[in-house]
Amino acid sequence: MTKDIKRIAVFTSGGDAPGMNAALRAVVRTASFNDLHVYGIKGGYEGMVDGNLSRLEVRDVGNIIHRGGTILKTARSERFRTPEGRKSAYEALLAFDIDACIGIGGDGTFTGANIFSQEFPDIPLIGVPGTIDNDLYGTDYTIGFDTAVNTAIDAADKIRDTADSHNRLFFVEVMGRHSGFIALNTGIGSGAASVLIPEIETTLEGLVETLRKGAKRKKLFSLVIVAEGNRYGGAAEIAKRVQDSFDYYDTKVAIIGHLQRGGSPTAMDRVLASRLGFGAVEGLIKGEKNVMVGLVNNKIKYTPFEVAIGKTKIPDKDLIRMAEILAI
Ligand code: F6P
């Protein structure tokens, strides 16, 4: 055990993700088991800058494993982007005698953590990947992704019913400003005719061709899953452009939106969050720092922040082809 670590601070940051509470519970309880004191920072980096810390005991994280959102609240902090803001955060941590930090969040969170750890190397930091986007290198899955996909598939199933009744073509938009993992898995799981994601170029001509072939095969309705961050824009824009050249179907648009960020975490997310929260504290104890804890091939792995945020995890292009073949 690194001798100096007695008090750790934990925070959630960036977009919330179902399972963040389960990860927090695991952090607090693993730390307590190892005789470490835990402080919760309210409101992510904003709370760190303001010194908004308070003691978290074992019972404070009771009855939260099944709750969506984050009891610590979250924020996107402009002040933490400035050297002055980070210095205030550092001073606040020193005022509470904090020896190490655990941040639960996504790439923005770890970008901030990486800078902070270079400026203030005496406070080791470990990141826990909590984002519905699943876009972090160094973990097969991020906390919240599975729940978000289940929510999106549930919504797509309902849209499928009405699409079938009316013989309609639906463009269903899911989250993913820069990433298509939610769209891809939703597309496969909901039997969509096509999936459009930011990482892989799909031409609108190609999409129309796929829909045309479907219509020739007497496909009476179709779903197309669109990740919000496409180069053509969101589902509404794409639907309009497709309809201009292919008006065989009555076309509708459904945007699932922030529904995907809430709700009770799935079993997979609860287990993942528990393992990663546990792994974060054990990592700190073993001397890991400035790394993200992840699950790779079902084993805990620590990846330096700069690799986790620097390398891009890309969805498998072949899966889009597979989704289209399975939907003929
Ligand atoms: O990071 C998850 C994510 O849901 C993205 O897919 C989405 O574009 C973004 O957050 C929206 O964030 P906010 O609602 O906080 O602006």
Side-chain angles (χ1 to χ4, degrees):
M1 176 173 188
T2 308
K3 242 165 107 207
D4 299 329
I5 297 182
K6 293 193 176 63
R7 288 179 168 214
I8 62 176
V10 58
F11 60 95
T12 50
S13 164
D16 61 352
M20 279 183 161
N21 284 327
L24 173 67
R25 169 182 177 270
V27 166
V28 172
R29 296 204 167 161
T30 310
S32 171
F33 179 79
N34 287 286
D35 296 324
L36 305 178
H37 285 185
V38 183
Y39 283 74
I41 304 175
K42 272 264 162 97
Y45 287 128
E46 274 295 283
M48 199 190 278
V49 174
D50 290 333
N52 195 355
L53 282 76
S54 54
R55 185 73 201 279
L56 277 180
E57 309 266 10
V58 165
R59 294 269 71 79
D60 294 327
V61 291
N63 201 25
I64 64 168
I65 193 167
H66 60 301
R67 281 171 60 186
T70 159
I71 63 163
L72 283 181
K73 310 278 184 177
T74 184
R76 301 192 197 271
S77 173
E78 280 309 316
R79 286 188 295 159
F80 195 78
R81 290 180 202 270
T82 67
E84 302 74 39
R86 290 192 294 275
K87 186 153 180 288
S88 302
Y90 175 68
E91 283 162 0
L93 294 177
L94 290 188
F96 280 86
D97 286 328
I98 299 299
D99 306 308
C101 280
I102 294 177
I104 307 168
D107 58 347
T109 305
F110 301 153
T111 303
N114 193 31
I115 298 170
F116 186 82
S117 59
Q118 280 158 22
E119 290 174 346
F120 306 106
D122 52 321
I123 300 197
L125 251 153
I126 289 204
V128 176
T131 163
I132 64 166
D133 288 340
N134 196 34
D135 57 348
L136 288 165
Y137 187 89
T139 190
D140 291 340
Y141 296 103
T142 57
I143 297 165
F145 170 68
D146 186 62
T147 308
V149 169
N150 274 282
T151 300
I153 287 180
D154 184 51
D157 285 351
K158 292 182 166 111
I159 291 165
R160 168 181 276 274
D161 288 344
T162 179
D164 177 19
S165 305
H166 289 264
N167 292 347
R168 280 174 168 160
L169 166 63
F170 262 87
F171 286 82
V172 181
E173 183 179 303
V174 298
M175 276 188 159
R177 200 166 15 199
H178 307 294
S179 115
F181 286 98
I182 297 176
L184 182 55
N185 280 29
T186 302
I188 294 169
S190 65
S194 192
V195 180
L196 302 185
I197 63 175
E199 298 91 336
I200 295 167
E201 192 156 315
T202 312
T203 62
L204 289 185
E205 293 73 32
L207 172 61
V208 168
E209 196 41 40
T210 303
L211 295 171
R212 230 186 261 286
K213 279 187 191 152
K216 267 202 196 127
R217 289 191 208 102
K218 307 264 179 302
K219 213 167 156 50
L220 296 177
F221 72 96
S222 278
L223 305 184
V224 175
I225 309 295
V226 179
E228 63 180 326
N230 282 284
R231 68 184 180 115
Y232 298 110
E237 179 62 24
I238 293 171
K240 195 174 158 299
R241 291 179 62 173
V242 166
Q243 205 171 24
D244 284 348
S245 58
F246 180 64
D247 61 1
Y248 178 82
Y249 295 105
D250 181 20
T251 301
K252 297 281 176 184
V253 172
I255 298 171
I256 304 177
H258 285 77
L259 271 181
Q260 292 158 96
R261 289 249 291 260
S264 182
T266 58
M268 183 170 152
D269 272 328
R270 294 181 199 195
V271 174
L272 177 69
S274 300
R275 291 184 72 183
L276 296 182
F278 181 80
V281 176
E282 289 218 319
L284 275 179
I285 291 171
K286 288 181 194 140
E288 291 284 353
K289 58 181 169 183
N290 312 329
V291 293
M292 182 194 84
V293 58
L295 208 61
V296 178
N297 295 331
N298 208 23
K299 292 261 178 304
I300 292 287
K301 197 175 165 218
Y302 301 94
T303 301
F305 281 138
E306 55 220 29
V307 178
I309 55 178
K311 283 200 176 180
T312 314
K313 192 164 83 179
I314 304 272
D316 187 347
K317 193 176 178 176
D318 282 347
L319 293 181
I320 293 196
R321 200 173 62 85
M322 181 195 83
E324 290 182 359
I325 290 172
L326 299 187
I328 52 177

